[in-house]
Amino acid sequence: MIYGAIGPRSMEMWNKIPEADFLNVLGIARMGFDGLRLLKMAEKVPDRRAEDALSFLVKNGMELRLGSNPAANLTREMVLFQMKVYFALLELKKEFGLDFAGVQDQLDWINHYPATDLTLGLLNNKLRPETDGSTFVCATEADDGAALTMQVLKLLSGGEPAGFNDLRYWDPARGLYWFVNSGALAPYFAEGSHESLRGSWSDANLHVFP
């Protein structure tokens, strides 16, 4: 298989850079792409196509909690940009025959553009804009380990959406587990349905700086 990593490393964390053998042992080739390439591809996506994708989300029940201040709110423009990145990643997948991917947002991309959380979450879903009924595993922060884990889970489940979360804390007295992840979680996990996006939402993008 071929894994596409967009960005120089995972979350700019040097301890998260795996040796090449980490993927080679499983017969996986790692192809690296610069974030600038993804941006230029996204800029070529027609506005109308992005608009139609946004309409698809709303029509199928996703809640977009929009505001007008890009420094504190998720704006309509941010969603449209992420829809263009969504199509750019699908084009990258097609051009290079990628089987799964990961995208790094921190710490360079988010200084200039919206984070790709909504984009990645949709790609991991079966119901998505211009869908072919399949999922395309995309890990947040180009986390190679998470991407590999999600791809394995997808294959074991026969193509179902795969999630990868961080465990923030556990409260045994209340029976509460707090899972946190900056992105890539498919809308499917909101209600366990492939028929709608109800129960999922996209909120304020606090990773975007003015």
Side-chain angles (χ1 to χ4, degrees):
M1 287 189 168
I2 302 176
Y3 165 62
I6 295 88
R9 63 188 65 87
S10 176
M11 291 184 68
E12 290 285 352
M13 295 167 59
W14 290 103
N15 65 328
K16 291 286 289 183
I17 303 176
E19 299 293 337
D21 289 345
F22 170 72
L23 296 171
N24 288 342
V25 167
L26 297 175
I28 298 171
R30 187 184 195 275
M31 293 189 69
F33 303 91
D34 193 278
L36 180 60
R37 182 182 196 133
L38 182 63
L39 171 64
K40 292 302 180 181
M41 293 177 70
E43 289 176 344
K44 294 179 181 179
V45 175
D47 292 342
R48 182 71 262 170
R49 194 178 184 191
E51 292 274 3
D52 289 345
L54 188 157
S55 297
F56 177 92
L57 302 185
V58 175
K59 179 181 178 181
N60 283 278
M62 178 176 282
E63 180 184 355
L64 298 174
R65 301 172 179 176
L66 303 179
S68 57
N69 179 5
N73 309 124
L74 177 70
T75 66
R76 192 171 188 276
E77 291 71 26
M78 287 179 179
V79 176
L80 290 174
F81 175 79
Q82 289 197 68
M83 293 304 94
K84 291 188 175 187
V85 174
Y86 167 89
F87 289 119
L89 282 168
L90 287 176
E91 181 60 32
L92 200 66
K93 172 185 183 296
K94 179 180 178 181
E95 182 177 353
F96 292 93
L98 304 180
D99 295 287
F100 60 116
V103 181
Q104 177 196 336
D105 286 322
Q106 301 183 56
L107 295 166
D108 44 12
W109 180 278
I110 58 172
N111 287 324
H112 310 284
Y113 307 102
T116 59
D117 295 17
L118 176 58
T119 296
L120 304 185
L122 288 172
L123 288 168
N124 287 312
N125 214 51
K126 285 191 173 184
L127 180 63
R128 50 187 175 83
E130 299 185 23
T131 182
D132 61 359
S134 68
T135 65
F136 176 48
V137 165
C138 280
T140 188
E141 298 304 347
D143 188 329
D144 296 356
L148 177 59
T149 301
M150 291 170 68
Q151 182 69 358
V152 169
L153 290 172
K154 171 188 171 178
L155 296 174
L156 289 175
S157 67
E160 289 297 300
F164 190 97
N165 287 284
D166 303 321
L167 176 60
R168 178 63 60 86
Y169 68 80
W170 171 42
D171 186 338
R174 299 168 60 192
L176 174 67
Y177 292 86
W178 186 285
F179 294 98
V180 180
N181 190 286
S182 63
L185 194 62
Y188 167 82
F189 291 103
E191 293 190 354
S193 173
H194 293 306
E195 306 304 319
S196 80
L197 302 174
R198 288 191 307 269
S200 63
W201 73 89
S202 191
D203 210 330
N205 196 325
L206 300 180
H207 295 294
V208 178
F209 301 96

